[in-house]
Amino acid sequence: MNTVAFGSGVSIVGLPGSGKTTFLAALWHLIQSGEIETRLRYGSMSNQDYAYLNKIVKLWRKAKEQGRTQIAGMKSVSMNLLDGDERSVSVTFPDVPGEEYRRMWEERKLDEGLVQNLSSSNIMLLLNGDRIRAPAWITEREALKANVEGGKKVEEEPQEWLPAHAPTQVQLVDLLQHFRRPPLDRGPRRVAVMIGAWDKAEGEGKTPAAFQSAKLPMLDQYLKSGRDGWTFRTYGLSAQGGEYDENDENNPKAKPRKEAEHLRDIDLASKRIRLLRDGSETHDLTEPLEWLMN
């Protein structure tokens, strides 16, 4: 059967703790199990190394968090997915830990291997909606200090500012701007902003787009301004569906969680996955990939 490649490919990127490994595990289960109908289906994989994928998907199916070994040992995965017309798109999970993207921000360095992986693709940007580092406003700090100290003047020791202390939205905007500067610049692209841990973030009572506007206003305004030519969509994502059991590797004293037990009771594991946008909800993680490839 002949297939036609189209689009420019998709790369999955994100800061540390954004959930890239969990997303990959959920996607692999989805396209291999055939439990639900999806926009895209599995075609082929470039390196034919299934051992790593089988390892992380085994933990995902058991509703157990990925261990440090799985996260730190993330391998480069590139798979071809097919749509209903047999057109294919290459989806790449670069062999790059989240710390490497943080290094782009902190040290202004870009590894040559990363350039090759990211220079010709549209982007799926993962972020953890439950771990957003907000800006530290001076007015808020002063008000908090007044409440704690009863209005007394308190002398504070000055602290050295480090790039790692920057708010999440500042780091994400800078990351996207890297894609519009040499050596990564390839003209206007598409980006799907995936706000992960949505099962926790949705407690704010906002849609994914409204959450981005309220919690990440700098990122939201940057994308909407169109100054760097990004076409974007914002999704709420729960690749797990809730809290999984802790991994014994991460915590030897880990205990089972009731929510994980509930998730294991769901008849089809694919139905744990939740993807939301514009009032609609689906279990199909390939939907934003299809949009990115068009």
Side-chain angles (χ1 to χ4, degrees), residues 10-28 45 47 49 51-57 66-79 91-101 114 117-118 124 126 249:
V10 177
S11 287
I12 317 294
V13 303
L15 298 173
S18 58
K20 294 184 296 297
T21 306
T22 301
F23 180 89
L24 175 57
L27 177 64
W28 186 242
M45 196 164 70
N47 55 12
D49 182 7
Y52 173 73
L53 289 171
N54 291 335
K55 184 181 297 184
I56 63 174
V57 82
Q66 300 295 326
R68 288 190 297 268
T69 302
Q70 284 74 41
I71 295 173
M74 184 176 181
K75 297 181 180 296
S76 180
V77 174
S78 182
M79 63 180 75
V91 180
T92 302
F93 293 77
D95 183 14
V96 179
E99 285 73 13
E100 192 67 28
Y101 297 111
L114 196 58
N117 277 322
L118 303 180
M124 177 175 282
L126 295 175
E249 181 186 2

Side-chain angles (χ1 to χ4, degrees), residues 146-158:
N147 289 334
V148 172
E149 302 296 336
K152 297 179 181 178
K153 186 175 181 180
V154 178
E155 296 295 332
E156 291 186 272
E157 289 290 330

Side-chain angles (χ1 to χ4, degrees), residues 206-275:
K206 303 179 185 299
T207 65
F211 182 94
Q212 175 178 285
S213 177
K215 299 295 183 179
L216 300 160
M218 181 179 179
L219 173 65
D220 190 63
Q221 292 167 27
Y222 165 72
L223 291 171
K224 288 177 177 176
S225 72
R227 56 161 293 179
D228 280 341
W230 290 103
T231 301
F232 76 98
R233 282 186 177 181
T234 303
Y235 295 84
L237 167 69
S238 179
Q240 297 182 168
E243 280 199 311
Y244 279 12
D245 285 336
E246 287 186 271
N247 193 298
D248 298 339
E249 181 186 2
N250 301 340
N251 179 9
K253 298 181 180 179
K255 296 181 180 180
R257 290 171 171 159
K258 289 184 179 180
E259 191 169 2
E261 188 62 38
H262 168 71
L263 292 168
R264 283 189 288 269
D265 288 339
I266 296 176
D267 58 343
L268 300 177
S270 297
K271 291 185 177 180
R272 300 176 192 168
I273 300 166
R274 298 178 60 210
L275 183 71

